Amino acid sequence: MPPLAGQRLPDAADTEAALIARAQAGDIGAYERLSGAYADRLFMLLLRLLGDRSEAEDVAQEVMLRAWRAIARFRGQSSYFTWLYRIAVNEANRALEKRARRPPTTPIGADELQLPAPAADDPSRQAENRELRRALGRALAELPPALRTAIVLRDVEGLSTQEAAEIAGVSQAAFKSRLHQARLRVRATIGDQTLVTAGG
Amino acid sequence: MPSRSDDHQWSQQHLSHYVEGELGPRARRRLERHALGCVDCGRGIKAMRALVYAFQGLDGLAGVRAPATIFDRVRLAGPGGSPSPPNA
């Protein structure tokens, strides 16, 4: 039975390199263990990029299928995580392009963005956090996919510029440019006063 | 010598670079010198820091789990990677 999605690899006998080799030889169980270790994080990425749970579920399945079909060609030039994330970003962008050709439906859900309010905070502070979370969700939703991806990878996911640029498929200089543009747009949308107040 | 207006526009465009620590020493001094006397840019630095901090606060899976169906298409496709015909 495969591990639960997100379960950590248990021991050195199942190292990532060994799982990759077995998966490349056609072992689905090994592939599920390998990719399952990143499944929760990958799903959260898709939720943040797409803002729609059912669409994220559909795209997550597609990402896993595409990675399975392509794993024989994985050469280890990047980490497996980076490789898988890049497939996820490409699939999310493909889904967003499809969505752009359809009539608008529900915008990205601010509730999909997890902004934990510290328990010790006073109620007015928690309300400010909720309001900021909604504002961030709306501002992210208004960004073009490339800029949204830059913020999600670098600021939300906390990846290094090098890793985030590799996943986005652009040079580091181009990625930084996207990130700065995205931040300026979000700042303009939310407003300095709201941000400074929320920042305390 | 850039004018105050040039400095202001330039500073506004480089607040994210400043917060990211990407400006060289001269550029950083230029922005800081301008922000000392400019309420908008001083607040802009605080706002940009708060924005990055707020996005960092979105990190954490917070109980969200990938769906149990995430490998369904892989299982359907099988070792060859292509979906099996319905009655195969």
Side-chain angles (χ1 to χ4, degrees), chain A residues 51-69:
Chain A
D52 179 274
R53 181 172 286 271
S54 68
E55 192 170 19
E57 288 179 3
D58 179 60
V59 173
Q61 285 194 27
E62 197 56 31
V63 170
M64 290 305 188
L65 178 61
R66 283 185 180 263
W68 171 238
R69 284 176 172 160

Side-chain angles (χ1 to χ4, degrees), chain A residues 5-193:
Chain A
Q7 190 173 334
R8 290 221 164 267
L9 303 180
D11 53 47
D14 279 332
T15 61
E16 193 161 277
L19 290 174
I20 289 169
R22 283 164 51 196
Q24 287 180 322
D27 182 341
I28 289 185
Y31 173 73
E32 290 190 18
R33 291 178 75 85
L34 171 68
S35 300
Y38 303 112
D40 288 345
R41 198 170 168 191
L42 183 140
F43 182 61
M44 180 59 88
L45 171 75
L46 293 171
L47 269 179
R48 286 176 173 143
L49 293 176
L50 298 167
D52 179 274
R53 181 172 286 271
S54 68
E55 192 170 19
E57 288 179 3
D58 179 60
V59 173
Q61 285 194 27
E62 197 56 31
V63 170
M64 290 305 188
L65 178 61
R66 283 185 180 263
W68 171 238
R69 284 176 172 160
I71 196 161
R73 298 193 297 277
F74 175 71
R75 293 283 171 260
Q77 286 162 333
S78 62
S79 70
Y80 184 74
F81 161 78
T82 301
W83 183 76
L84 190 63
Y85 248 45
R86 188 165 179 179
I87 294 173
V89 166
N90 286 340
E91 283 304 306
N93 285 335
R94 203 190 307 266
L96 288 169
E97 281 168 18
K98 271 192 212 166
R99 187 196 293 176
R101 292 195 291 270
R102 293 196 303 261
T105 53
T106 312
I108 190 169
D111 289 341
E112 306 292 7
L113 299 166
Q114 307 294 311
L115 181 61
D121 272 355
D122 62 56
S124 66
R125 189 78 176 161
Q126 287 187 13
E128 278 172 11
N129 276 348
R130 276 196 301 275
E131 183 48 43
L132 180 61
R133 185 176 69 171
R134 277 193 283 270
L136 289 172
R138 283 194 298 269
L140 271 180
E142 288 171 14
L143 290 177
L147 301 191
R148 189 187 307 165
T149 300
I151 283 206
V152 169
L153 291 177
R154 182 73 181 85
D155 289 342
V156 182
E157 294 272 332
L159 300 177
S160 69
T161 300
Q162 182 185 349
E163 205 167 19
E166 200 175 323
I167 290 166
V170 294
S171 69
Q172 288 192 50
F175 182 84
K176 284 180 188 176
S177 170
R178 288 180 183 184
L179 178 66
H180 297 317
Q181 274 186 64
R183 286 178 180 169
L184 286 176
R185 287 209 202 182
V186 173
R187 175 188 160 218
T189 301
I190 295 180
D192 283 357
Q193 194 56 51

Side-chain angles (χ1 to χ4, degrees), chain B residues 9-37:
Chain B
Q9 269 196 325
W10 179 86
S11 295
Q12 285 287 320
Q13 288 301 313
H14 288 82
L15 291 175
S16 171
H17 302 72
Y18 177 75
V19 168
E20 196 74 6
E22 285 177 2
L23 296 182
R26 282 185 65 180
R28 194 173 66 243
R29 278 198 300 275
R30 178 182 174 188
L31 193 147
E32 286 172 346
R33 199 166 44 237
H34 171 75
L36 272 177

